[in-house]
Amino acid sequence: MNRAQLFEQIKKKNSCLCVGLDTDLLKIPKHLLATSDPIFEFNKQIIDATHSYCVAYKPNIAFYEALGPKGWESLQKTLEYIPKDIFTIADAKRGDIGNTSALYARAFFEQMNFDSITVAPYMGEDSVKPFLLKDKWVILLAHTSNSGSNDFQVIELSSKRRLYEEVILKSQQWATPDQLMFVVGATHPEKIESIRALAPENFFLVPGVGAQGGDLQLVMKHGSNKQCGLLINSSRAIIYATNDTDFAEKAGAEALKVQEEMGEYLSRYL
Ligand code: OMP
């Protein structure tokens, strides 16, 4: 999916919600465990209940690879089930020397047909470029939502820039905003305006609302650009709204609540 198509979806649905499919056998409703593929069954019902309110799905690969070959199978079935007009993110946080990154790219873009993948920038240009295939996106970790983001990402360099700022500036020499997004945590709302100034055109994947307590309104107010420029992710707060038999209905209601909050903002500013 290209940038224009993504923006079209955002306008059509009046939403920039990304639903995180962090599907955990220990957290899904017990009655699903009797089915042949509980992870897929859960995802299928979550997708049915939420697809009208979101523009992206982000399966976190750790939850699937932890289950071995069966987990990869559930992931593949989930990806195939996601409606084609919804953007897909392999949250894999990969990145290695060039020839190895090329194989990660093959895994997620050819074996599986994801639109995008999250990539760690630490190994630099040659580790990122193999993911920049035609019509595919790199979502580069910039300033993450977790407390450990303060360990390295904010270190001040001799250029007087913070490390995450350098990542954002330097990587824009490798790819255009048609293929490059940045991860910016919703837990640093005070920084999102200055981060937007460093990358005016790029989309940001913003995790950290919902279970991690980030502020949706502040993110939208200070992080939006002319094309919205945001994919705001919520995983646990939506998919585990309850672990009862009506889990999908409750997840749909949660997604609708977030969409309505986003919609109010988007219709005022877009
Ligand atoms: P919830 O906290 O349940 O909404 O989940 C957040 C999801 O976003 C998880 O899959 C995390 O791995 C992911 N994530 C972050 O929480 N923080 C980041 O800075 C980056 C990511 C990510 O790359 O998606």
Side-chain angles (χ1 to χ4, degrees):
M1 181 181 295
N2 63 33
R3 193 149 62 117
Q5 290 165 330
L6 181 57
F7 184 42
E8 270 315 301
Q9 288 302 316
I10 290 172
K11 282 190 293 188
K12 189 169 139 198
K13 287 183 169 163
N14 213 13
S15 171
C16 58
L17 175 63
C18 170
V19 173
L21 297 172
D22 297 8
T23 308
D24 183 344
L25 276 180
L26 298 176
K27 287 199 178 146
I28 64 177
K30 295 283 169 279
H31 72 282
L32 294 178
L33 299 179
T35 63
S36 62
D37 187 344
I39 297 287
F40 174 63
E41 189 54 40
F42 178 82
N43 287 350
K44 181 171 172 290
Q45 293 193 42
I46 293 285
I47 292 165
D48 287 342
T50 58
H51 72 89
S52 305
Y53 313 125
C54 68
V55 294
Y57 284 107
K58 181 176 75 67
N60 186 315
I61 304 306
F63 289 78
Y64 302 85
E65 61 189 348
L67 301 173
K70 184 92 180 102
W72 288 103
E73 208 179 289
S74 308
L75 177 63
Q76 178 69 32
K77 280 158 70 182
T78 300
L79 186 62
E80 282 164 17
Y81 192 74
I82 294 172
K84 294 292 162 266
D85 56 0
I86 297 191
F87 191 75
T88 54
I89 302 169
D91 185 6
K93 301 187 178 71
R94 299 297 148 105
D96 202 326
I97 60 169
N99 63 322
T100 309
S101 275
L103 291 179
Y104 282 137
R106 207 197 288 172
F108 290 102
F109 292 152
E110 289 177 22
Q111 289 293 330
M112 285 174 280
N113 190 20
F114 278 99
D115 289 309
S116 67
I117 183 170
T118 54
V119 175
Y122 200 68
M123 290 178 73
E125 180 175 2
D126 59 310
S127 73
V128 173
K129 280 201 156 165
F131 292 101
L132 293 165
L133 303 181
K134 188 172 177 297
D135 298 331
K136 300 295 183 185
W137 293 78
V138 161
I139 308 182
L140 204 59
L141 300 181
H143 200 14
T144 58
S145 67
N146 57 323
S147 58
S149 65
N150 290 319
D151 290 338
F152 303 121
Q153 294 166 18
V154 298
I155 288 175
E156 195 176 292
L157 308 174
S158 53
S159 61
K160 296 287 172 217
R161 290 190 200 111
R162 308 272 176 185
L163 182 56
Y164 73 86
E165 296 176 318
E166 192 65 36
V167 165
I168 290 169
L169 289 173
K170 183 98 179 170
S171 61
Q172 288 180 70
Q173 297 167 15
W174 310 335
T176 70
D178 289 333
Q179 281 198 288
L180 181 64
M181 300 190 188
F182 295 107
V183 173
V184 180
T187 50
H188 315 287
E190 74 291 352
K191 291 187 184 154
I192 199 152
E193 195 170 1
S194 63
I195 296 177
R196 175 51 79 200
L198 295 175
E201 303 289 326
N202 300 74
F203 264 84
F204 296 164
L205 171 64
V206 185
V209 301
Q212 297 177 52
D215 188 322
L216 180 65
Q217 288 295 328
L218 281 179
V219 167
M220 294 198 74
K221 182 155 181 247
H222 299 297
S224 300
N225 66 14
K226 291 191 297 291
Q227 290 190 318
C228 173
L230 301 169
L231 293 175
I232 301 182
N233 180 83
S234 179
S235 306
R236 287 166 292 179
I238 290 178
I239 69 173
Y240 302 127
T242 172
N243 69 352
D244 227 322
T245 48
D246 61 348
F247 70 97
E249 195 185 315
K250 291 278 165 37
E254 275 308 308
L256 173 61
K257 209 157 62 174
V258 182
Q259 181 274 321
E260 283 175 343
E261 203 179 335
M262 290 173 166
E264 204 181 301
Y265 185 89
L266 288 170
S267 49
R268 252 187 295 148
Y269 292 98
L270 274 193

